[in-house]
Amino acid sequence: MTEKAVTQTWLLLVVITVGSWWLAPAQYSDTLRASVPITALVLVLTLIKSRLIIRQFMEVRTAPKWLKLATDGWLMVLFGAIFAIYLM
């Protein structure tokens, strides 16, 4: 991976992290309460971050197709399970 690609990926990860922090309701009010839409959005952003890290920094982007599909499937199952547990 080129230095430019590493920097761009890192910047995107930073933007997503700051965006997730910005969504936190605690910075707008003293009342903390669960919000399903915000939680879902943060989980989707975390899924995107996880996929970027796995693909770019763990070199899965150059791996065989079966490994790419396996990591994507694993992420979908993992984040689906996390969201399902959250909704219980």
Side-chain angles (χ1 to χ4, degrees):
M1 185 158 64
T2 66
E3 187 175 322
K4 183 178 179 182
V6 170
T7 303
Q8 289 174 342
T9 302
W10 179 81
L11 284 173
L12 183 56
L13 291 170
V14 169
V15 167
I16 293 171
T17 300
V18 171
S20 295
W21 170 82
W22 182 77
L23 289 170
Q27 63 184 339
Y28 303 113
S29 69
D30 292 333
T31 306
L32 293 177
R33 59 189 166 106
S35 169
V36 173
I38 290 175
T39 300
L41 182 56
V42 169
L43 279 174
V44 167
L45 291 172
T46 305
L47 174 67
I48 293 167
K49 283 177 61 176
S50 300
R51 189 169 189 269
L52 279 170
I53 291 167
I54 290 171
R55 286 285 173 111
Q56 299 299 329
F57 297 111
M58 298 176 77
E59 302 293 337
V60 173
R61 75 183 182 296
T62 59
K65 187 172 183 162
W66 68 266
L67 184 57
K68 292 176 186 178
L69 292 173
T71 56
D72 286 345
W74 176 75
L75 285 172
M76 296 305 277
V77 169
L78 177 66
F79 281 92
I82 290 170
F83 192 61
I85 290 169
Y86 172 77
L87 292 176
M88 291 181 160

